Structures are given as structure tokens and as C-alpha cells.
Amino acid sequence: QALLVESGGGLVQAGGSLRLSCAASGSIFSISTMGWYRRAPGKQRELVATITGHSYTNYADSVKGRFTVSRDNAKNTVDLQMNSLKPEDTGVYYCNIMDVFGSNYWGQGTQVTVSS
């Protein structure tokens, strides 16, 4: 079984910054894409940012220029640096890992709340 442990969520004022971290351990054969998704109150889970093993990144339009995703392949970690946070960034953020066979693994989620 794979285990993804997230950290770094919390409460911040609009315009502030937070950094989320996710560490993967356990039985993950070979990691392909790593990334972050979020679920805002009353909405479906949506992609925030992903990064491939070759460091190709993909961002939701709403976070481009404000968020930066990065990974450490040796440590099986993925981070999300979030700057210029807005109230609409509020939600539960989930770490995601997809292996080379297409299997997805999810973290338990970490709450991010941005006050206006």
C-alpha cells in the first residue's frame, strides 16, 4: 500500500503565501506524474498543478503565475508553493501520484483557508 502524507495547510490572509508538501512512501512501483488537486466548498475536485518525471508542469488557469509545483524524485516528494493567495483558493488540497501503470494514489487532504 502507498501512503501519501501532506503538510503545510492552514489559515492565511489574502495576498499571503503557503507551501504544501507531500511525501510518498510504501508500495509505489514507479512514479510518473505528481501533483495537487483541490476541492472548494460546494464544488467538485479540480486539478491545481501537476509535474511529470521530466519536470513538465501543468497548471490550472486560475493559479498560473501564482503557484509553483516542484518535486524531488529521490525523496518521492512534491511541493506546491502558493503565493498571492485569494479567498477563492480556499479548499481542501489533495496530493496525487500516478504510477507508470496509470494507478492513482491520493493523500488525505489538507485544508487551506484564505481570509479576505
Side-chain angles (χ1 to χ4, degrees), residues 30-103:
S30 184
I31 295 174
S32 175
T33 302
M34 307 178 79
W36 293 89
Y37 290 70
R38 68 186 179 192
R39 178 180 283 124
K43 296 185 178 180
Q44 292 187 334
R45 187 162 55 188
E46 63 176 357
L47 179 148
V48 176
T50 59
I51 182 168
T52 70
H54 297 288
S55 297
Y56 292 113
T57 57
N58 180 43
Y59 294 93
D61 287 343
S62 60
V63 306
K64 285 180 180 177
R66 301 188 297 121
F67 291 11
T68 302
V69 63
S70 59
R71 65 188 279 174
D72 184 326
N73 292 327
K75 297 180 180 179
N76 285 344
T77 59
V78 58
D79 292 348
L80 184 68
Q81 178 65 43
M82 304 185 294
N83 298 327
S84 302
L85 282 161
K86 304 175 180 180
E88 51 264 43
D89 294 317
T90 294
V92 180
Y93 284 67
Y94 297 91
C95 174
N96 171 264
I97 286 177
M98 186 173 69
D99 68 18
V100 294
F101 301 108
S103 295

Coordinates of all heavy atoms in Angstrom, one line a residue, residues 30-103:
S30 N 6.6 2.7 -9.7 CA 7.4 3.7 -10.4 C 6.5 4.9 -10.6 O 5.5 4.8 -11.2 CB 7.9 3.2 -11.7 OG 8.7 4.2 -12.3
I31 N 6.9 6.0 -10.0 CA 6.0 7.2 -10.1 C 6.2 7.9 -11.4 O 7.3 8.1 -11.9 CB 6.4 8.2 -8.9 CG1 6.1 7.6 -7.6 CG2 5.6 9.5 -9.1 CD1 6.5 8.4 -6.4
S32 N 5.0 8.3 -12.0 CA 5.0 9.0 -13.2 C 4.7 10.5 -12.9 O 5.6 11.3 -12.7 CB 4.0 8.5 -14.2 OG 3.9 9.3 -15.3
T33 N 3.5 10.9 -12.8 CA 3.1 12.3 -12.6 C 2.7 12.5 -11.1 O 2.1 11.6 -10.5 CB 1.9 12.7 -13.5 OG1 2.3 12.5 -14.8 CG2 1.5 14.1 -13.2
M34 N 3.2 13.6 -10.6 CA 2.8 14.0 -9.2 C 2.1 15.3 -9.3 O 2.3 16.1 -10.2 CB 4.0 14.1 -8.3 CG 4.9 12.9 -8.3 SD 6.4 13.1 -7.3 CE 5.7 12.8 -5.7
G35 N 1.2 15.6 -8.3 CA 0.6 16.9 -8.4 C -0.4 17.1 -7.3 O -0.4 16.4 -6.3
W36 N -1.2 18.2 -7.4 CA -2.1 18.7 -6.4 C -3.5 19.0 -7.1 O -3.5 19.5 -8.2 CB -1.6 19.9 -5.8 CG -0.4 19.7 -5.0 CD1 0.9 19.8 -5.4 CD2 -0.3 19.3 -3.6 NE1 1.8 19.4 -4.4 CE2 1.0 19.2 -3.2 CE3 -1.3 19.1 -2.6 CZ2 1.5 18.9 -1.9 CZ3 -0.9 18.8 -1.3 CH2 0.5 18.7 -1.0
Y37 N -4.5 18.6 -6.3 CA -5.9 18.9 -6.7 C -6.5 19.6 -5.5 O -6.0 19.5 -4.4 CB -6.6 17.6 -7.1 CG -6.2 17.0 -8.3 CD1 -4.9 16.4 -8.4 CD2 -7.0 17.0 -9.5 CE1 -4.5 15.8 -9.6 CE2 -6.6 16.4 -10.7 CZ -5.3 15.8 -10.7 OH -4.9 15.2 -11.9
R38 N -7.7 20.2 -5.7 CA -8.4 20.8 -4.6 C -9.9 20.7 -4.8 O -10.4 20.6 -5.9 CB -8.0 22.3 -4.4 CG -8.5 23.2 -5.6 CD -7.9 24.6 -5.4 NE -8.4 25.5 -6.5 CZ -7.9 26.7 -6.7 NH1 -6.9 27.2 -5.9 NH2 -8.3 27.4 -7.7
R39 N -10.5 20.7 -3.6 CA -12.0 20.7 -3.6 C -12.4 21.9 -2.8 O -12.2 22.0 -1.6 CB -12.6 19.5 -3.1 CG -14.1 19.5 -3.0 CD -14.7 18.2 -2.5 NE -14.7 17.1 -3.4 CZ -14.1 16.0 -3.2 NH1 -13.5 15.8 -2.0 NH2 -14.1 15.0 -4.1
A40 N -13.0 22.9 -3.5 CA -13.6 24.1 -2.9 C -14.9 23.7 -2.3 O -15.6 22.8 -2.8 CB -13.7 25.2 -3.9
P41 N -15.4 24.5 -1.3 CA -16.7 24.2 -0.7 C -17.8 24.2 -1.8 O -17.9 25.1 -2.5 CB -16.9 25.3 0.3 CG -15.5 25.7 0.6 CD -14.7 25.6 -0.6
G42 N -18.6 23.1 -1.8 CA -19.7 23.0 -2.7 C -19.3 22.7 -4.2 O -20.2 22.7 -5.1
K43 N -18.0 22.4 -4.4 CA -17.6 22.2 -5.8 C -16.9 20.8 -5.9 O -16.5 20.2 -4.9 CB -16.6 23.3 -6.3 CG -17.3 24.7 -6.3 CD -16.3 25.7 -6.9 CE -17.0 27.1 -7.0 NZ -16.0 28.1 -7.6
Q44 N -16.7 20.4 -7.1 CA -16.0 19.2 -7.4 C -14.5 19.4 -7.3 O -14.0 20.5 -7.4 CB -16.4 18.6 -8.8 CG -17.8 18.1 -8.9 CD -18.1 17.4 -10.2 OE1 -17.4 17.7 -11.2 NE2 -19.1 16.6 -10.2
R45 N -13.8 18.3 -7.1 CA -12.4 18.3 -7.0 C -11.8 18.7 -8.4 O -12.3 18.2 -9.4 CB -11.8 17.0 -6.6 CG -10.3 17.0 -6.4 CD -9.8 15.8 -5.5 NE -10.3 14.5 -6.1 CZ -10.1 13.4 -5.4 NH1 -9.6 13.4 -4.2 NH2 -10.5 12.3 -6.0
E46 N -10.8 19.6 -8.4 CA -10.3 20.1 -9.7 C -8.7 20.1 -9.6 O -8.1 20.1 -8.5 CB -10.7 21.5 -9.9 CG -10.2 22.5 -8.9 CD -10.6 24.0 -9.2 OE1 -11.2 24.2 -10.3 OE2 -10.3 24.9 -8.4
L47 N -8.1 20.0 -10.8 CA -6.7 20.0 -10.9 C -6.2 21.4 -10.5 O -6.7 22.4 -10.9 CB -6.3 19.6 -12.3 CG -4.8 19.6 -12.6 CD1 -4.5 18.5 -13.7 CD2 -4.3 20.9 -13.1
V48 N -5.1 21.4 -9.8 CA -4.4 22.6 -9.5 C -3.1 22.7 -10.3 O -2.8 23.6 -11.0 CB -4.1 22.8 -8.0 CG1 -3.3 24.0 -7.7 CG2 -5.4 22.8 -7.2
A49 N -2.2 21.7 -10.1 CA -0.9 21.6 -10.8 C -0.4 20.2 -10.8 O -0.6 19.5 -9.8 CB 0.0 22.6 -10.1
T50 N 0.3 19.9 -11.9 CA 0.9 18.6 -12.0 C 2.3 18.7 -12.5 O 2.6 19.8 -13.2 CB 0.2 17.6 -12.9 OG1 0.0 18.1 -14.2 CG2 -1.2 17.3 -12.3
I51 N 3.2 17.8 -12.3 CA 4.5 17.8 -12.8 C 5.0 16.4 -13.1 O 4.7 15.4 -12.3 CB 5.5 18.4 -11.7 CG1 6.9 18.5 -12.3 CG2 5.4 17.7 -10.4 CD1 7.8 19.4 -11.4
T52 N 5.6 16.2 -14.3 CA 6.0 14.9 -14.7 C 7.4 14.6 -14.2 O 8.1 15.4 -13.6 CB 6.0 14.8 -16.2 OG1 7.0 15.6 -16.7 CG2 4.7 15.2 -16.8
G53 N 7.8 13.4 -14.5 CA 9.2 13.0 -14.1 C 10.3 13.8 -14.8 O 11.4 13.9 -14.3
H54 N 9.9 14.3 -15.9 CA 10.9 15.2 -16.7 C 10.6 16.7 -16.4 O 11.1 17.5 -17.1 CB 10.7 14.9 -18.2 CG 11.1 13.5 -18.6 ND1 12.4 13.0 -18.6 CD2 10.3 12.5 -18.9 CE1 12.4 11.8 -18.9 NE2 11.1 11.4 -19.2
S55 N 9.9 16.9 -15.3 CA 9.6 18.3 -14.8 C 8.8 19.1 -15.8 O 8.8 20.4 -15.7 CB 10.9 19.0 -14.5 OG 11.6 18.4 -13.5
Y56 N 8.0 18.5 -16.6 CA 7.0 19.3 -17.4 C 5.8 19.6 -16.4 O 5.3 18.7 -15.8 CB 6.5 18.5 -18.6 CG 7.6 18.3 -19.6 CD1 8.1 17.0 -19.9 CD2 8.1 19.4 -20.3 CE1 9.0 16.9 -20.9 CE2 9.0 19.2 -21.3 CZ 9.5 17.9 -21.6 OH 10.5 17.8 -22.5
T57 N 5.4 20.8 -16.4 CA 4.3 21.2 -15.5 C 3.1 21.6 -16.2 O 3.1 22.0 -17.4 CB 4.8 22.4 -14.6 OG1 5.2 23.5 -15.5 CG2 6.0 22.0 -13.7
N58 N 2.0 21.5 -15.5 CA 0.7 21.9 -16.0 C -0.1 22.6 -14.8 O -0.1 22.0 -13.7 CB -0.1 20.7 -16.5 CG -1.5 21.0 -17.0 OD1 -1.6 22.0 -17.8 ND2 -2.5 20.3 -16.7
Y59 N -0.7 23.7 -15.1 CA -1.4 24.5 -14.1 C -2.8 24.8 -14.5 O -3.1 25.1 -15.7 CB -0.6 25.8 -13.8 CG 0.7 25.6 -13.2 CD1 1.9 25.6 -14.0 CD2 0.9 25.5 -11.8 CE1 3.1 25.5 -13.4 CE2 2.1 25.4 -11.2 CZ 3.3 25.4 -12.0 OH 4.5 25.2 -11.5
A60 N -3.7 24.9 -13.5 CA -5.0 25.4 -13.8 C -4.8 26.9 -14.1 O -3.9 27.6 -13.6 CB -5.9 25.3 -12.5
D61 N -5.6 27.4 -15.0 CA -5.5 28.8 -15.4 C -5.6 29.7 -14.2 O -5.0 30.8 -14.2 CB -6.6 29.1 -16.4 CG -6.4 28.5 -17.8 OD1 -5.2 28.1 -18.1 OD2 -7.3 28.4 -18.6
S62 N -6.4 29.4 -13.3 CA -6.7 30.2 -12.1 C -5.5 30.4 -11.2 O -5.5 31.3 -10.4 CB -7.9 29.7 -11.3 OG -7.6 28.4 -10.8
V63 N -4.5 29.5 -11.3 CA -3.3 29.6 -10.4 C -2.0 30.0 -11.2 O -1.0 30.1 -10.5 CB -3.1 28.3 -9.6 CG1 -4.4 28.0 -8.9 CG2 -2.6 27.2 -10.5
K64 N -2.1 30.0 -12.5 CA -0.9 30.3 -13.2 C -0.3 31.7 -12.8 O -1.0 32.7 -12.6 CB -1.2 30.4 -14.7 CG -1.4 29.0 -15.4 CD -1.7 29.1 -16.8 CE -1.9 27.7 -17.5 NZ -2.3 27.8 -18.9
G65 N 1.1 31.6 -12.6 CA 1.8 32.9 -12.2 C 1.8 33.1 -10.7 O 2.5 33.9 -10.2
R66 N 1.0 32.3 -10.0 CA 0.9 32.4 -8.5 C 1.4 31.2 -7.8 O 2.0 31.3 -6.7 CB -0.5 32.7 -8.1 CG -1.1 34.0 -8.7 CD -2.4 34.3 -8.0 NE -3.5 33.3 -8.3 CZ -4.1 32.6 -7.3 NH1 -3.8 32.9 -6.0 NH2 -5.0 31.7 -7.6
F67 N 1.2 30.0 -8.4 CA 1.5 28.8 -7.7 C 2.7 28.1 -8.5 O 2.8 28.2 -9.7 CB 0.4 27.8 -7.7 CG -0.8 28.1 -6.8 CD1 -0.9 29.4 -6.2 CD2 -1.8 27.2 -6.6 CE1 -1.9 29.7 -5.4 CE2 -2.8 27.5 -5.7 CZ -2.9 28.7 -5.1
T68 N 3.5 27.4 -7.8 CA 4.6 26.7 -8.4 C 4.7 25.3 -7.8 O 4.8 25.1 -6.6 CB 6.0 27.4 -8.2 OG1 5.9 28.7 -8.7 CG2 7.1 26.6 -8.9
V69 N 4.7 24.3 -8.7 CA 4.8 22.9 -8.3 C 6.2 22.4 -8.5 O 6.8 22.8 -9.5 CB 3.8 22.0 -9.0 CG1 4.0 22.0 -10.5 CG2 3.8 20.6 -8.4
S70 N 6.7 21.6 -7.6 CA 8.1 21.1 -7.7 C 8.1 19.7 -7.1 O 7.3 19.3 -6.3 CB 9.1 22.0 -7.1 OG 8.8 22.1 -5.7
R71 N 9.1 18.9 -7.5 CA 9.2 17.5 -7.0 C 10.7 17.2 -6.8 O 11.6 17.7 -7.4 CB 8.6 16.5 -7.9 CG 9.2 16.4 -9.3 CD 8.4 15.5 -10.2 NE 8.6 14.1 -10.0 CZ 7.9 13.1 -10.6 NH1 6.9 13.5 -11.4 NH2 8.1 11.8 -10.3
D72 N 10.9 16.2 -5.9 CA 12.2 15.6 -5.6 C 12.1 14.2 -5.9 O 11.5 13.4 -5.1 CB 12.6 15.9 -4.2 CG 14.0 15.5 -3.9 OD1 14.5 14.4 -4.4 OD2 14.7 16.1 -3.1
N73 N 12.6 13.7 -7.0 CA 12.4 12.3 -7.4 C 13.1 11.4 -6.4 O 12.7 10.2 -6.2 CB 12.9 12.1 -8.8 CG 12.1 12.8 -9.8 OD1 10.9 12.9 -9.6 ND2 12.7 13.3 -10.9
A74 N 14.2 11.8 -5.8 CA 15.0 10.9 -4.9 C 14.2 10.7 -3.6 O 14.3 9.6 -3.0 CB 16.4 11.5 -4.6
K75 N 13.5 11.7 -3.2 CA 12.7 11.6 -1.9 C 11.3 11.3 -2.1 O 10.5 11.1 -1.1 CB 12.9 12.9 -1.2 CG 14.3 13.3 -0.8 CD 14.3 14.6 0.0 CE 15.8 14.9 0.4 NZ 15.8 16.2 1.1
N76 N 10.8 11.2 -3.4 CA 9.4 11.0 -3.7 C 8.5 12.0 -3.0 O 7.5 11.7 -2.3 CB 8.9 9.6 -3.2 CG 9.4 8.5 -4.2 OD1 9.9 8.8 -5.3 ND2 9.4 7.3 -3.7
T77 N 8.9 13.3 -3.1 CA 8.1 14.4 -2.6 C 7.6 15.3 -3.7 O 8.3 15.5 -4.7 CB 8.9 15.1 -1.5 OG1 10.1 15.7 -2.1 CG2 9.3 14.2 -0.4
V78 N 6.5 16.0 -3.4 CA 6.0 17.0 -4.3 C 5.5 18.2 -3.5 O 4.9 18.0 -2.5 CB 4.9 16.5 -5.3 CG1 3.7 15.9 -4.5 CG2 4.5 17.6 -6.2
D79 N 5.9 19.4 -3.8 CA 5.6 20.6 -3.1 C 4.7 21.5 -4.0 O 4.8 21.5 -5.2 CB 6.8 21.3 -2.6 CG 7.6 20.6 -1.6 OD1 7.1 19.6 -1.0 OD2 8.7 21.0 -1.3
L80 N 4.0 22.4 -3.3 CA 3.2 23.4 -4.0 C 3.4 24.7 -3.3 O 2.9 24.9 -2.1 CB 1.7 23.0 -4.0 CG 0.8 24.0 -4.8 CD1 1.2 23.9 -6.3 CD2 -0.6 23.7 -4.6
Q81 N 4.1 25.6 -3.9 CA 4.3 27.0 -3.4 C 3.2 27.8 -3.9 O 3.0 28.0 -5.1 CB 5.7 27.5 -3.8 CG 5.9 28.9 -3.3 CD 6.0 29.0 -1.8 OE1 6.7 28.2 -1.2 NE2 5.4 30.1 -1.2
M82 N 2.4 28.4 -2.9 CA 1.3 29.2 -3.3 C 1.5 30.6 -2.8 O 1.6 30.9 -1.6 CB 0.0 28.6 -2.6 CG -0.2 27.1 -3.0 SD -1.8 26.5 -2.3 CE -1.4 26.6 -0.6
N83 N 1.5 31.5 -3.8 CA 1.7 32.9 -3.5 C 0.5 33.7 -3.9 O -0.3 33.3 -4.7 CB 3.0 33.5 -4.2 CG 4.2 32.8 -3.7 OD1 4.4 32.4 -2.6 ND2 5.2 32.7 -4.7
S84 N 0.4 35.0 -3.4 CA -0.7 35.8 -3.8 C -2.0 35.1 -3.6 O -2.9 35.2 -4.5 CB -0.5 36.4 -5.2 OG 0.7 37.0 -5.3
L85 N -2.2 34.5 -2.5 CA -3.4 33.7 -2.3 C -4.7 34.5 -2.3 O -4.7 35.7 -1.8 CB -3.3 32.9 -1.0 CG -2.4 31.6 -1.1 CD1 -2.0 31.1 0.2 CD2 -3.2 30.5 -1.9
K86 N -5.8 34.0 -2.8 CA -7.0 34.6 -2.9 C -8.1 33.8 -2.1 O -7.9 32.6 -2.0 CB -7.5 34.7 -4.4 CG -6.5 35.4 -5.3 CD -7.0 35.4 -6.7 CE -6.0 36.1 -7.6 NZ -6.4 36.1 -9.1
P87 N -9.1 34.5 -1.7 CA -10.2 33.7 -1.0 C -10.7 32.5 -1.8 O -11.1 31.5 -1.2 CB -11.3 34.7 -0.7 CG -10.5 36.0 -0.6 CD -9.4 35.9 -1.6
E88 N -10.8 32.7 -3.1 CA -11.3 31.6 -3.9 C -10.3 30.4 -4.0 O -10.6 29.4 -4.6 CB -11.6 32.1 -5.4 CG -10.5 32.9 -6.0 CD -10.7 34.4 -5.9 OE1 -11.0 34.8 -4.7 OE2 -10.5 35.1 -6.8
D89 N -9.1 30.5 -3.4 CA -8.2 29.4 -3.3 C -8.5 28.5 -2.2 O -7.9 27.4 -2.0 CB -6.7 29.9 -3.2 CG -6.2 30.6 -4.4 OD1 -6.5 30.1 -5.6 OD2 -5.6 31.6 -4.3
T90 N -9.5 28.9 -1.3 CA -9.9 28.1 -0.2 C -10.4 26.8 -0.6 O -11.2 26.6 -1.5 CB -10.9 28.9 0.6 OG1 -10.3 30.1 1.2 CG2 -11.5 28.0 1.8
G91 N -10.0 25.7 0.2 CA -10.4 24.4 -0.1 C -9.6 23.4 0.5 O -8.6 23.7 1.2
V92 N -9.9 22.1 0.3 CA -9.1 21.0 0.7 C -8.2 20.6 -0.4 O -8.6 20.3 -1.5 CB -9.9 19.8 1.2 CG1 -9.0 18.7 1.6 CG2 -10.9 20.2 2.3
Y93 N -6.9 20.6 -0.2 CA -5.9 20.3 -1.2 C -5.4 18.8 -1.0 O -5.0 18.4 0.1 CB -4.7 21.2 -1.1 CG -5.0 22.6 -1.7 CD1 -6.0 23.4 -1.0 CD2 -4.4 23.1 -2.8 CE1 -6.3 24.7 -1.6 CE2 -4.7 24.3 -3.4 CZ -5.7 25.1 -2.7 OH -6.0 26.3 -3.3
Y94 N -5.4 18.1 -2.1 CA -5.0 16.7 -2.1 C -3.8 16.5 -3.0 O -3.7 16.9 -4.1 CB -6.2 15.9 -2.7 CG -7.5 15.9 -1.9 CD1 -8.4 16.9 -2.2 CD2 -7.7 15.0 -0.9 CE1 -9.6 16.9 -1.5 CE2 -8.9 15.1 -0.2 CZ -9.8 16.0 -0.5 OH -11.0 16.1 0.3
C95 N -2.9 15.7 -2.4 CA -1.7 15.3 -3.2 C -2.1 14.1 -4.0 O -2.9 13.2 -3.6 CB -0.6 14.9 -2.2 SG 0.8 14.2 -2.9
N96 N -1.6 14.0 -5.2 CA -1.9 12.9 -6.1 C -0.6 12.4 -6.7 O 0.3 13.2 -7.1 CB -2.9 13.3 -7.2 CG -3.0 12.3 -8.3 OD1 -2.4 12.3 -9.3 ND2 -3.9 11.3 -8.0
I97 N -0.5 11.1 -6.9 CA 0.6 10.4 -7.6 C 0.0 9.4 -8.5 O -0.9 8.6 -8.1 CB 1.5 9.8 -6.6 CG1 2.4 10.8 -5.9 CG2 2.4 8.8 -7.3 CD1 3.3 10.3 -4.8
M98 N 0.5 9.4 -9.7 CA 0.1 8.4 -10.7 C 1.3 7.6 -11.0 O 2.4 8.2 -11.3 CB -0.5 9.0 -11.9 CG -1.1 8.0 -12.9 SD -2.0 8.7 -14.3 CE -0.6 9.5 -15.2
D99 N 1.2 6.3 -11.0 CA 2.4 5.5 -11.4 C 2.4 5.2 -12.9 O 1.5 5.6 -13.6 CB 2.4 4.2 -10.5 CG 1.3 3.2 -10.8 OD1 0.7 3.3 -11.9 OD2 1.1 2.3 -10.0
V100 N 3.4 4.5 -13.3 CA 3.6 4.3 -14.8 C 2.5 3.4 -15.4 O 2.3 3.3 -16.6 CB 5.0 3.7 -15.1 CG1 6.0 4.7 -14.7 CG2 5.2 2.4 -14.4
F101 N 1.7 2.7 -14.5 CA 0.6 1.8 -15.0 C -0.7 2.6 -15.0 O -1.7 2.0 -15.3 CB 0.5 0.6 -14.1 CG 1.8 -0.2 -14.1 CD1 2.6 -0.3 -13.0 CD2 2.2 -1.0 -15.2 CE1 3.7 -1.0 -13.0 CE2 3.3 -1.7 -15.2 CZ 4.1 -1.7 -14.1
G102 N -0.7 3.8 -14.5 CA -1.9 4.6 -14.5 C -2.7 4.6 -13.2 O -3.8 5.1 -13.1
S103 N -2.1 3.9 -12.2 CA -2.8 3.8 -10.9 C -2.6 5.1 -10.2 O -1.5 5.7 -10.2 CB -2.3 2.7 -10.1 OG -2.6 1.4 -10.7

